[in-house]
Amino acid sequence: MQYDNKKSQTTTMLEQILKKIRSFGIPRIIIILFLLSLWISAAFLSIPFPALLSDTFVRLGMNTVLTLSMLPSILVGTSLFFGLPLGIICGLLGGVMSIELNLKGLTAFFAAIGFSIPLAILVGYGYGLLLNRVKGSEMTVGTYVGFAFVSLMSFGWVTLPFKNPEMAWAIGKGIRVTVSLEGRFSNVLNKLWAFELYGIKIPTGALVFLGVMCLIMGLFLRTRTGLAMQECGMNPKFAKASGIDVDRMRILGTIISTILGAIGILTYAQGFGFLQLYEAPMYMGFIAAAAILIGGATLKTAKISHVIIGTFLFQGILVVALPVANTVATLGSLAEISRIIVSNGIILYALAQKGGNE
Amino acid sequence: MTQVRRFLTNNAVSILFVVIGVLGLRVSGLSLPFFLEDIVNRLARNSFMVLSLIIPVLAGLGLNFAIVLGAMAGQAAIIVVTHWKIPGLGGILLSILLAFPLAVVLGILTGRLLNRARGKEMITTLILGFFSNGIYQLVFLLLVGSVIPMKNDVLVLSSGVGLRTSIDLTGGLKNGLDDLLRIPFPVCAAVTGIVLLGVYLTRFFRRRSVRLGKMVGIGLLALFLIGWGLFQVYTRSMFNFVRVPVGTFLIVLGLCVFITFFTRTKLGQDMRTVGQDRHIAEVAGIDSDRIRIIAMVMSTVLASIGQIVFLQNLGTFSTYGSHEQAGMFAIAALLIGGASVAKATIGQALLGTLLFHTMFIVSPLAGRTLFGDAQLGEFFRAFVAYGIIGLSLALHSWKKQMQAREEARRSV
Amino acid sequence: MERNGRSVLEMKNISKEFYGNKVLKGINLSVQEGEIHGIVGENGAGKSTLMNILFGMSVIHSTGGFEGSIEFLGKPVRISSPFDAMALGIGMVHQEFMLIPGYSVTENIKLNREITKDNFFSKILGPGLRTLDWDSMGQDAKRALSKLEMDIDEWARIAGLPVGHMQFVEIARELDKQNLKLLVFDEPTAVLTESEADRLLSTLRKLAETGISILFITHRLHEIMEVCDRITVLRDGVQVATKSKSETTIEELARLMVGHSIESVGKRKVNLSERKTILKVRDLRVLMPGETVQKVDLDIKEGEIFGIGGLAGQGKIGIANGIMGLYDSSGSVEFDDKLLPLNNPREVLKRGLAFLSEDRRGVGLLLDMSVEMNIVAPAIEIHRKFLKDMGVFSVLDRSQIRAFAQDMIQKLDIRCLGPDQPVKRLSGGNQQKVCIAKALALEPKLLFVSEPTRGIDIGAKKRVLDTLVELNQKNGMTIVLTSSELAELRSICDRIAIISEGRVMGILDPDAEDAQFGLLMAGEYAVR
């Protein structure tokens, strides 16, 4: 005790502040400053601020569940969930089935989720088995398994026997590249209980939905199984010595991530108004990964707060970058370019950090 | 019998693709000379790039997805040279020269990043490829014309900022290397046969230790090439219209010779040692970080040349897309040739390029014949490229796990 | 001092401190030309620190260097890196092989000392591109191997060679270095079969005859007596003795090596014969790399503190790890008269066994988690304790966890800022107490404790041991204590088994003679 006291006295206030900043993460500070500067320039360019915030909230509602899908994967020790396209495809299949059955409104949305979950469990189980065989290379293998699955499913979109003319090409076989959700479940959550506050539109339904998802996840992490899963990620040897079947937990974590990916793409689609098939899911894993890392997660640790903060910051930048860029000059692709640079930059930063402990 | 089985299991991937290629070729209904024309061109185009992947594998860095950076350096140089309107071989040499310093710098940066991200090299090079693509777009889409002054109605968009999405090299660098010397395929085959025969005969007389069976095989192959070539020339068949870009192939050959030479040098040996076991290398006094950076620099520089060779053959390129898939396709080709994360040879690289492009040519045609839809063939192509990379990464990692377990058991 | 040869190495008055902990105290070591000098000592006696100083390893320099001086061939030298040592002509044959399995024998012998010749490119682009001269390299390798009278194909790949040959390739590599004067062997016979070991010993003698001096580190006393001219015994960082072979015996060396003054904690004597056997181990084999158990039979009595001792790498650590299911094991284990399933950690914990791992930070703790969660995690998993029923599912009961953790913190005197402090911020001793609390939460009947005082300062050491004794005496808990520190075992155990080469060499009373412990540890003979 005395020893500890002496030690803490020697560290000055300044050192402690510096340490705080460091632990907060330099890239996070850069991103917050970047967002602030975008906001300030938006104000100078008299871009309506409430509209920007409204947009940010809509995007938050759309993207948070996708980001949340990274959490179980990181916690159980399989690192960033680059197999996200697998879950997304399960979600898309659920969405397509729900349209095929001619469902509408919230029913269509929840039916889509209902259809996709068993698929996600199946796919997640298989993917989990694979990940157990490639410990240490989960991210690389996951990326390419995801890519391969996307191109395999392109096959499926053309050949699966869906009949609804709404989704078919005018000529030729198969489902369209983008399927409109107009009259199906487009904006069902966004419009639910929506209201305006000082000109800011609040998509209450979507925010409540993501709140519920986060709450369920939070509760799960406090159960015996949730705790066991986290032990596997923090220290597999400790978990084994405590009688936990590490491989089984890793499969469970992968399944939950896959399910969240499926639900995530459906909440995304309801806000976006379209199901995007074929190659669209390919790079979504990187965006979700970047979001949680921006929120403060590392390759080994993550919290629910990281999910929400990260999605807010990342989507905030994307929302503001477009109008700002458009006003400054007709630089239409700035938003896309900054998405690529920010998302991959933050992943690179995370990869270049040494080890996991401090 | 066991030898046959071992051969089959060790080369399962390549054999599978030979089968797919042959079947696809039959289904597609392509005539042989037509196919040959295409494949010869594609071999000339892509071999150099695939070969540039070998050195990082040697140094234990795995598959270098970051050759995308080298490709970008090459492409940037081509854009500059096209802007200056320097055509032909001179333009190509100049662009190689211009790309060189850029590729060196990018290689050093990549190497240093990889030294920080130990054990996560491949995913890092992969993400680095994506990241640098963003930087590339930033430069050529936004900065050119606005910050970097450039006036060129052909290259720059009408707004005056950013390059057009596709650049035509016709009248510029197009075929600058290929057109140095083009020889009909049969003549080429006959000459290759003669050279092969000559090389192996001198080797046979110098050293007796060469295996007889191998000698006879190579001798027969050489004789066949000579006979077939002369016959085709004599009958003036369609094959005479397939004209081989000899200049490009000589450069590829030069690279093969260089790699072979390099593996026999001190630096090459150090690289292998680092690749085999970094800890032991360091105990023996080899600076492994430095060696790894050198490997990345070499790979990036070679990739920049590879992209220049690639684009002069193609003659036109999509400004923001051509480099993007260069890395992935080259890696898929290398793996199809039977290479793995830990081992890659020149033979595997060349065989892989051949098989990969065969599949590339035949799959849309086969898709159309089989399903009435060329698109399905293209999906298949993409699936194979991604799938083969995923599969061989997974197999490598699994093998490593099994080996570790085996070692633990053996230590008892 | 019988030899009149030139002195090759003089290490004078060497002392070394690690973070205020003296690990070497005034060692004087001298080696003559052509002498084989043996160094013996228990683990932690200071052998490896002494060698690290000799080789200028960075562990030494990054922790403040050492006191004393080194003379080599009569001249004072400063050795600040392994390459300085190499340049002087000091070579080392490592215990774990520094060989690349995919390389040929020649490539390994000439590793980073390849012979090269110039070519066109190397003249322009630098020496890195010189070509390797395989023929000369092969000749050198052959010459080095022939000095050892080994008939190994210099082009064979290492991967296919028997272990013994690998050892000789390592030696050949050192011999190939032109100026070799002094060669250090670190436990070279540990991996060898008996005939290979004999061969190695005769090689040592031949090398010495050619004028090369040899430092021979081993714990096999009969090997020392067979080849060494002089022997230095280290114990707890002190040079206990340096003797010529003719002046000493195996028994004396064993006694010198162990010789602790035992501070008895005044433990009560228990009559073990009346107690029932709670744990019966038969034919236990454990595949734990580096600590393999070959065949162990043990009977542990209810309520005793049973000690397991022995040198590092002999398998004592493997026993508890095997029974707890952490490493593949086979054999039969009965606990409380019921057969215990092997390779099943969960079931073993459920039956009432618990384990404090020797790898505290690696296995024992979740470093980033709080003190309280570390304490309760296994109990939650195994016994479903500390859970609150919410109808369909149950969640962690925070208040119950907090109460239990606070109770433990108080009882075991865990010094922390509070139950929610991450354990990685605690000192080693307090981390160990968290591990003990974790085990107590499982309410075990039998507790395995491995190396409980490793990396803990002296004051905390005693408290940890006191806690163990208290648990044993007050709660009647059976404790199996595995430790490398004999003194520790002798101070609190009722009986001590000594493990060597994966087997029980004998079971001794804590107050048995030093020489007996020493001989058993050196694997010299089994006492019944």
Side-chain angles (χ1 to χ4, degrees), chain C residues 415-464:
Chain C
R415 308 281 173 87
C416 58
L417 297 177
D420 49 0
Q421 195 186 11
V423 281
K424 68 177 167 200
R425 305 238 180 273
L426 303 189
S427 68
N430 285 311
Q431 285 181 343
Q432 188 60 276
K433 286 182 194 162
V434 172
C435 290
I436 295 176
K438 184 182 84 167
L440 292 183
L442 285 166
E443 296 174 46
K445 288 184 224 146
L446 186 147
L447 181 61
F448 283 105
V449 182
S450 291
E451 307 283 8
T453 60
R454 185 186 279 175
I456 291 179
D457 59 78
I458 297 169
K461 254 181 197 178
K462 186 164 172 356
R463 277 198 295 276
V464 167

Side-chain angles (χ1 to χ4, degrees), chain C residues 16-267:
Chain C
K16 169 69 189 162
E17 259 185 39
F18 279 118
Y19 310 108
N21 193 2
K22 272 215 169 207
V23 293
L24 284 181
K25 296 163 201 157
I27 308 290
N28 290 297
L29 183 69
S30 85
V31 183
Q32 317 279 304
E33 189 171 8
E35 177 189 353
I36 303 182
H37 194 113
I39 300 183
V40 289
E42 277 187 279
N43 305 112
K47 292 175 297 187
S48 43
T49 309
L50 191 63
M51 288 307 113
N52 284 340
I53 290 173
L54 178 59
F55 280 89
M57 301 301 274
S58 57
V59 256
I60 301 297
H61 297 288
S62 62
T63 53
F66 64 96
E67 288 166 39
S69 63
I70 304 177
E71 281 177 22
F72 197 74
L73 296 175
K75 273 176 247 140
V77 286
R78 275 180 53 87
I79 301 174
S80 48
S81 81
F83 303 107
D84 290 351
M86 215 204 292
L88 287 171
I90 308 176
M92 169 93 150
V93 176
H94 299 268
Q95 193 177 4
E96 74 273 24
F97 296 137
M98 290 291 170
L99 297 174
I100 293 181
Y103 273 8
S104 66
V105 170
T106 302
E107 280 171 293
N108 271 296
I109 288 178
K110 303 298 284 187
L111 198 67
N112 203 28
R113 294 184 303 107
E114 292 90 351
I115 303 171
T116 57
K117 51 188 178 195
D118 257 324
N119 60 45
F120 174 72
F121 292 102
S122 69
K123 282 180 190 153
I124 304 169
L125 294 169
L129 288 180
R130 283 162 157 255
T131 8
L132 302 184
D133 184 350
W134 291 106
D135 290 341
S136 328
M137 282 165 64
Q139 281 162 17
D140 272 14
K142 211 179 173 81
R143 195 176 314 132
L145 287 168
S146 68
K147 275 190 211 165
L148 294 171
E149 291 170 24
M150 281 309 286
D151 190 23
I152 306 176
D153 176 10
E154 73 269 26
W155 298 113
R157 270 173 26 123
I158 291 292
L161 293 181
V163 177
H165 285 195
M166 294 188 197
Q167 181 75 280
F168 282 101
V169 174
E170 283 252 319
I171 301 171
R173 172 157 69 203
E174 299 308 318
L175 290 183
D176 185 50
K177 296 174 182 169
Q178 293 310 317
N179 62 343
L180 187 72
K181 301 282 186 310
L182 173 68
L183 190 51
V184 180
F185 286 84
D186 183 10
E187 306 265 3
T189 55
V191 292
L192 301 185
T193 63
E194 209 158 308
S195 64
E196 283 169 341
D198 285 345
R199 179 134 197 205
L200 182 83
L201 294 181
S202 67
T203 308
L204 289 188
R205 265 189 235 109
K206 277 184 200 123
L207 287 178
E209 276 160 24
T210 65
I212 294 174
S213 313
I214 290 171
L215 264 177
F216 185 38
I217 302 171
T218 184
H219 64 261
R220 296 189 179 175
L221 297 178
H222 72 87
E223 288 176 358
I224 288 266
M225 289 304 284
E226 212 169 301
V227 294
C228 292
D229 302 313
R230 284 189 300 161
I231 300 126
T232 294
V233 185
L234 297 184
R235 189 208 308 149
D236 288 337
V238 178
Q239 183 173 14
V240 192
T242 295
K243 301 206 164 218
S244 313
K245 179 168 70 177
S246 52
E247 292 170 358
T248 186
T249 60
I250 286 190
E251 283 72 21
E252 190 193 9
L253 288 178
R255 190 174 49 75
L256 287 171
M257 188 168 96
V258 173
H260 291 282
S261 51
I262 314 156
E263 32 172 317
S264 188
V265 213
K267 252 189 67 116

Side-chain angles (χ1 to χ4, degrees), chain C residues 493-509:
Chain C
C493 292
D494 297 306
R495 295 184 296 158
I496 299 164
I498 299 295
I499 309 297
S500 180
E501 291 172 0
R503 288 157 204 274
V504 179
M505 284 293 121
I507 297 178
L508 296 171
D509 234 33

Side-chain angles (χ1 to χ4, degrees), chain B residues 258 261-274 276-277 279-286 408-412, chain C residues 83 94 97-100 102-103 107 111-114 116 119 121 127-132 134 285 287 289-290 292 294 328:
Chain B
F258 171 75
F261 161 76
F262 181 73
T263 53
R264 291 177 188 168
T265 60
K266 171 77 176 117
L267 190 58
Q269 182 79 359
D270 286 354
M271 226 167 248
R272 274 177 62 204
T273 307
V274 171
Q276 297 270 336
D277 192 316
H279 175 61
I280 294 180
E282 268 167 17
V283 171
I286 299 173
R409 194 149 301 164
R410 233 191 348 206
S411 74
V412 170
Chain C
F83 303 107
H94 299 268
F97 296 137
M98 290 291 170
L99 297 174
I100 293 181
Y103 273 8
E107 280 171 293
L111 198 67
N112 203 28
R113 294 184 303 107
E114 292 90 351
T116 57
N119 60 45
F121 292 102
L129 288 180
R130 283 162 157 255
T131 8
L132 302 184
W134 291 106
R285 260 177 74 92
L287 299 179
T292 315
Q294 300 291 0
D328 272 357

